[in-house]
Amino acid sequence: QSCRGGGTGRCLPASISEKDHNIPSGAHWSPFDFDALGPSVPTFGNSWNNGLVLNKKAMDLDVQDQVDLIQEYESLVAWMDREFQHSVTGDATLRSREQIRENITNYTDTILAEKNVLDALNQSQCSNVQCNLLFNTSNARLSGAVNATGSIVTTSDGTEVALWAFDSIDIDEHVNITLTGQRAMSLVSRSSVRINTTIIAIPGTLGGFPGGFSVARRPNERLVRVCNEGVDTRQFLDICKGKLTCCPGDQPIGELSKGIKSNNVNGPGSSSTRVYLMTIQTSAPVVNEIQSLTTSANRGQTLSGGIRLHFNGYTTPLLSHDITASDLKRKIEDSLNPAKRNQLTSFDRTDSIAGIGIVDVTRETLGTSGGYRWNITFASAVLGKDSARLTATNYLVSKGAKVDIETVRHGNSIEGKFALQFLGHDTRFMRHDVSASELEEILLQDIPSLSTADVLRSDPTGNCNDGHCANGSDRSGGYTWTLTITTHVGNVSPFSPTSMTFDSEGEIANMTALNQLIGCVDSQCPTIQIEMGHSKSHNSEMRSIFGKKPFSLAFGGTGGGHGGKGGSGFRDLPPGKAYGDKRISNLYGGSGGGVGVKQPFQLGVFKDPRGRGGSGGGAIEIVATSDIIIGSNAVISCEGEPGANGYMSAGGGGSGGTILLAAGASVQLDGKISVTGGAGGRKKANIPKKAKSFGGHGGGGAGGRMALFSQSVIIGEISTISLDGGHCSAPDTATQNCTGEDGTLFVESELDAELTVDHKIGAEGTRRSLYLRPRMISPPFNPKKRLASTESGPEYDLGTSVRPSRVSFYYRVDSPSKLGWDATFELRESRWSYLSSKDSIDYTALVGIVIGKEIRHGVNYIGVPFDDEHIKQFKSIKPSPAQANGWTKVDIRFDWKDRTHDVYVDDVRLVKMSPFRGESIRAISLNNYFEGGDVWFDEIYIGEDTTMGFHCPIVLSNGTLQPMDRPLERGWKMEDLGDTSSLRPMRRHESHVSKREMYQREEFVVPMDGQGENDFTSNVKFRSSDGDRIHDKGEFLAGSLLRLSNTQSSAKREYSNSKSEMSGVKFGMHPDTFIWYGEHDHFVDPRQVSGAVVACSTQDFVTWRNEGAMLHYTNLTDMVHGSNGPLHVEKPKVLYNNATQKYVMWM
């Protein structure tokens, strides 16, 4: 609700005057610079619903209140109408019946007016229409439950945005919102914005760029989406196979012949690059080589026998001395080639050497001895001066028989070298037959503005110079190089798909050659032809794609970049780059992922587009002069689209878009806002060779950008902020690095503190932490302006007052040595906004911990969030600086009954039983001040203390130990000791011996002397009323001490960084680690004992660290009597067993 008092005039919050018209920080536009749209509906309480208000719950309450108000008025009028003749009113001004009648008339008019309000209420919002809203940013029209036409505005760089301005915005969960159109979107309110429904920008709309496939856009389709809404790239082939209407805006490479202009249509964060298709051909005049084969013998002799011919490792069978020309041709072609003549064009030459090819043969008779001369013309093979020649083995029979082979005419073959000129650079000179891989390397090294170079050369194996390879050199030894090269030069990249330069095209660069080839015939010399396109390529697949001019294409399955880099694809193209800035100075949408092909020609292999890249997320800005509330049911999504799956390759994911929330007062987030990148497409085939040559898994798109601007940012516990980059399906993500980077979150407070979630580090093995960068504004401050601010760090409201027995957190700093460095962790009884409103207060914080050049501790102090003067009076509890780039743990343990607390740093108690005043804790405040470095907080815990009240030894100033609260040292109970030792009764046994006289004499025999035989023996040496010992409280020395040498002890965090304290010897001990073990009883319930074997460690017997519970009593069992307990432990001991290399505890 807004604009009370009939809805006239502007709707201004109390903090902004109409003349100010100031723009909330971070916003691009002021709501007051545009006409307010939407209906103006009176409602209960003389207030008005102005603007985009669709809140059924609130409307139902207003209707009921209005009905009750009308009934009250009607009841009053009925009473006056019934009683006015004889009743006496209590109002001195209504003494006459005429006055009462007049008053009835007035109330009747009021009732009529209120009924009109009720009728308007009942007819408002979605009472007579479906509760749907359609925002079309291409034509700036809003239709559905509210109809209005917005404005087309531009950001500083010319990005077009469709803006709708309202007095207020309140959209509840029952409203269905659809977004369409190509421009980014902005909703601005003169008062507040409350959104509790789903707002999803379909990828490729609202400024999001389409995924990779097209090379251009039609000039008249700047405001038209490429693909129809509802087309899902993941299932693109299943849905759209053979249907040209799925993506009517596609402009594939084949459309270049129609004269369209090509540029980067996939966004500045896409892998789009300028692609040049070129064909280089060398040629020279063709001259067939002729070699003569001559046989002869001495005069008067007659030749017989035969010969064998050899060429390049091949040998003919024995040829008759008088073989005919036709037979010789057949024998040569069948035996001096790797295959028969009819198989040469289809023969696999991978492991074969080129032969002689096709020849023409003539024969003439020489002399009278039967000699002949065969002229052999090489009709297909390419033979230069250094090429292989025919040789012969003489098997002729005759006196003086010999065989001669001479070259009648040398064939012409290209030699020499050449260089290329492109994009203002010259390559080095290269051999006339430079290989494809060598040319690729030279292009990339000598022309630095090239990104990639892929080259195919005719006769790639160098063994096709017989003239019978489909991809061999020509007759003069000329080669064809098919080039696919990419560069960012000339690749025009608009930052918005609706940019006025969306169809502008960069200059076209031409490639020329420096010719130093050799192989002239008469006045005709070798030539080098460079042609744009692949129409003259020796490779049929390359010829399938039309590209007579350069074009821009995002390919390689790379993920789109935006807030970070996109994930890598399956070829050597760089991933999509980040663009824009954290503050979102311009409303940029996300960029599209690369289409899933390794080479552009592969787009022409299939009829339907395969592996289409995912589209980028859109851009949404929401501005409020007062508050922005994103409810728990709200979803605002500008996510990137996943890349399309494919059989042998897949598309890259689109990057996330932009969400900007700028409020003059506060931003309260309880819902979900997301600018996550789209996942990379998945390659289905598991055919390594084919998959490697064609493509692979697509890379994920990067997360987008999100910014929150306000005086106070409140992020609720159930809220979700998603910035993640899209994942990918590659089995080895470490090698491909195909997951998109996370996007950015920028939170600006009035004091310029930067609060973000660090996705790289976290305490205790977690991956994320709260990162707080200090403000960079030096004093003096404006107290009135800063008083209600919490901008030196976030404040978390627990929602209710609590009395936790333990509060703990971890922190990490980057450079504790900085001058004046300090950050604080404070526990408050109330939120700062409440405390600062009080005229007089004794303290603002119950307990505070200062992290800086030293660790300090304060109790019941007045702390101002924008000023760190108060912390200079705190007591230092650890003079050493905080550990840089490592996590430090802080524990605060409360005794609310006695109002005391202890403070532990890395489990070492530094503050003991410090008193405090206060009833409870309501808020936690984290602050980082203007001179400070960066600080991270993580794992903040508020709850019960599970350490069972155990404390490690305390060394007093005189070097003695403070008495510890140790448990009773018990022994065996009386009933467990058994009986005492006993003897059997003595008996005298008489015999004839004992009756002899000598044994009757008492000086020799004393009857019944000594003791009886043992009946029961007890080894218990001491007995008391308690058992085998008197039960008494133990002492520290009753524990067990284990010494770990430097080589045995694990890497422990040092208690001090002071060299004097850790210099080597203290109390005669080296800096080994000593661990003390002892039992600890903890009585929670008098009927039940609990506790544990606990441990403390030290290196100097002064500072003790609590290592926690080693064995809890709940894990004890009675294996003797089977008792259920309660059980406890006495005198635990720990030793190292070298045999098992384990530590053993017994008790």
Side-chain angles (χ1 to χ4, degrees), residues 566-859:
S568 298
F570 42 76
R571 65 156 300 157
D572 52 355
L573 287 170
K577 64 181 180 180
Y579 59 96
D581 59 273
K582 293 182 178 180
R583 294 182 59 88
I584 311 181
S585 301
N586 288 282
L587 283 180
Y588 296 143
S591 293
V595 65
V597 294
K598 200 168 188 178
Q599 292 283 358
F601 80 88
Q602 293 168 335
L603 288 174
V605 174
F606 301 103
K607 180 179 179 181
D608 297 310
R610 304 295 174 106
R612 179 186 290 273
S615 298
I620 297 176
E621 175 179 14
I622 299 175
V623 180
T625 304
S626 182
D627 300 323
I628 295 178
I629 301 172
I630 308 300
S632 59
N633 294 312
V635 175
I636 302 178
S637 171
C638 291
E639 297 179 352
E641 185 179 34
N645 298 328
Y647 183 67
M648 288 191 294
S649 68
S655 61
T658 295
I659 296 177
L660 188 154
L661 306 180
S666 68
V667 171
Q668 181 174 337
L669 176 62
D670 289 315
K672 174 183 178 181
I673 53 178
S674 176
V675 290
T676 59
R682 183 174 59 86
K683 171 183 69 70
K684 299 179 181 179
N686 188 19
I687 310 173
K689 287 187 177 180
K690 289 186 178 180
K692 187 175 181 181
S693 64
F694 194 90
H697 298 287
R705 295 195 184 275
M706 193 180 300
L708 310 177
F709 295 87
S710 71
Q711 292 184 21
S712 175
V713 176
I714 304 171
I715 301 176
E717 290 184 358
I718 60 174
S719 64
T720 303
I721 297 177
S722 300
L723 306 161
D724 299 339
H727 62 82
C728 67
S729 301
D732 186 4
T733 56
T735 301
Q736 188 174 337
N737 194 24
C738 56
T739 298
E741 291 184 351
D742 291 348
T744 61
L745 170 65
F746 182 82
V747 179
E748 182 182 88
S749 63
E750 193 163 318
L751 292 183
D752 298 328
E754 182 178 345
L755 174 67
T756 59
V757 175
D758 192 324
H759 296 265
K760 298 179 181 178
I761 56 175
E764 295 294 348
T766 60
R767 296 183 179 179
R768 300 181 182 183
S769 57
L770 190 67
Y771 168 68
L772 188 60
R773 173 172 292 179
R775 51 182 166 79
M776 298 302 174
I777 300 177
S778 301
F781 304 111
N782 182 342
K784 293 183 179 180
K785 183 177 180 181
R786 305 294 185 182
L787 186 59
S789 167
T790 59
E791 306 300 334
S792 55
E795 181 183 62
Y796 182 78
D797 185 0
L798 300 178
T800 185
S801 297
V802 296
R803 286 187 171 186
S805 55
R806 181 182 182 185
V807 176
S808 65
F809 65 94
Y810 288 77
Y811 74 87
R812 175 188 177 111
V813 298
D814 63 345
S815 179
S817 61
K818 289 185 178 180
L819 180 64
W821 192 97
D822 45 49
T824 62
F825 179 96
E826 294 181 344
L827 302 175
R828 298 175 180 163
E829 280 190 290
S830 300
R831 295 189 59 187
W832 177 252
S833 58
Y834 171 78
L835 296 171
S836 62
S837 66
K838 295 293 184 180
D839 294 333
S840 175
I841 51 177
D842 294 334
Y843 58 87
T844 61
L846 268 69
V847 176
I849 301 295
V850 178
I851 307 157
K853 295 181 65 175
E854 55 185 3
I855 300 178
R856 298 183 179 186
H857 166 247
V859 178

Side-chain angles (χ1 to χ4, degrees), residues 945-950 965-968 970 1078-1094 1109 1111-1116 1124-1129:
D945 182 9
T946 59
T947 61
M948 298 178 289
F950 172 73
D965 184 15
R966 303 282 287 122
L968 289 174
R970 300 177 177 86
E1079 66 272 28
H1080 174 69
D1081 291 346
H1082 180 58
F1083 293 92
V1084 179
D1085 188 328
R1087 300 165 298 175
Q1088 183 179 0
V1089 65
S1090 65
V1093 176
V1094 293
L1111 175 65
H1112 200 282
Y1113 287 175
T1114 57
N1115 295 321
L1116 297 176
N1124 291 327
L1127 304 174
H1128 64 270
V1129 169

